[in-house]
Amino acid sequence: MMERHDLHSLLDLGNLFILHQRERAVITCLRRGGVTTANVSSLRFLEVGCGTGGLLPLLTYYGASPDRMFGIDLDRSRIREARRRYPAIHFVVADAARLPLPTEGYDVAIQSTLFTSILDQRARRQAAAEMLRVLRPSGFVLWFDFRYNSPRNEKVRGITRRQITRDLFPDTATFFVSTVLLPPLARRIARASWLVAECLSLLRPLRSHYCALIRPRPTKPAAE
Ligand SMILES: C[S@@+](CC[C@H](N)C(=O)[O-])C[C@H]1O[C@@H](n2cnc3c(N)ncnc32)[C@H](O)[C@@H]1O
């Protein structure tokens, strides 16, 4: 039986399985967006709702430059912890709906399980619009979040593919990867058999998350 404090432990094979699936999907989307070993260090990354670091530290393993990374979060204590853990990355306390950042300043704007913790639909739309505003013309949003409601947590709400494309990011081109075997199942199964967990992941309804690349469509030049 897993203790409560082990639920997100990285020394657990079940959690490792979930992280591997997330990372594969993230790399698939980054590559699809044109991120390569050759250009990753020159790109500017922003994570909105970064918590104590989010995906930003992972990107440093791929070669991204910490001094070109920016994380924002509403929670002051999480930002304090993020700064302590990753002193080379810039972290700021701010609201996703009002980013204190310049327009067209970033190549990749990331959100990882932020949107499912914003329950107000208007605030979600504002956060989505802000992420698009701060993107460079060639930039894209990297989305990672779950699509089902959590029976154990009323403070979060799953977001479907349709809600992403129609409500939050209309007028964008999208590429989706559905991933992550339902975490309670993944934790139990992958600890016993990695292979069985991989096989179960082939069943689409058992995959709980979407990883997506969201690119604004270029605006048409005004007619003469
Ligand atoms: C589930 S955590 C995800 C943290 C991180 N992205 C990760 O993947 O580990 C959601 C984070 O979103 C932050 N958050 C919620 N609403 C926010 C808002 N309106 N603006 C900025 N951050 C917000 C919370 O404080 C929390 O740190």
Side-chain angles (χ1 to χ4, degrees), residues 175-212:
F175 169 76
F176 278 83
V177 178
S178 85
T179 185
V180 181
L181 180 62
L182 288 163
L185 198 60
R187 287 193 190 99
R188 222 167 285 151
I189 306 269
R191 265 184 271 146
S193 168
W194 198 273
L195 182 61
V196 172
E198 283 288 4
C199 291
L200 281 176
S201 307
L202 296 175
L203 302 171
R204 210 166 183 284
L206 296 187
R207 299 197 291 255
S208 55
H209 286 61
Y210 284 123
C211 191

Side-chain angles (χ1 to χ4, degrees), residues 22 47-51 54-55 72-75 78 94-97 112-114 117-118:
R22 178 183 77 164
E47 179 161 346
V48 183
C50 63
L55 288 176
I72 74 106
D73 199 284
L74 207 49
D75 187 323
R78 290 186 186 188
D95 186 346
S112 162
T113 62
L114 159 71
S117 58
I118 303 177

Side-chain angles (χ1 to χ4, degrees), residues 80-117:
R80 201 178 307 123
E81 179 60 17
R83 286 183 184 141
R84 192 189 66 75
R85 289 189 194 176
Y86 312 107
I89 300 178
H90 310 283
F91 291 104
V92 164
V93 177
D95 186 346
R98 283 180 298 277
L99 294 177
L101 301 171
T103 297
E104 297 190 3
Y106 295 87
D107 298 289
V108 184
I110 302 163
Q111 90 80 14
S112 162
T113 62
L114 159 71
F115 275 69
T116 45
S117 58

Side-chain angles (χ1 to χ4, degrees), residues 52-69:
T52 56
L55 288 176
L56 296 175
L58 182 67
L59 296 171
T60 62
Y61 285 112
Y62 308 155
S65 308
D67 61 354
R68 288 174 186 268
M69 285 187 197

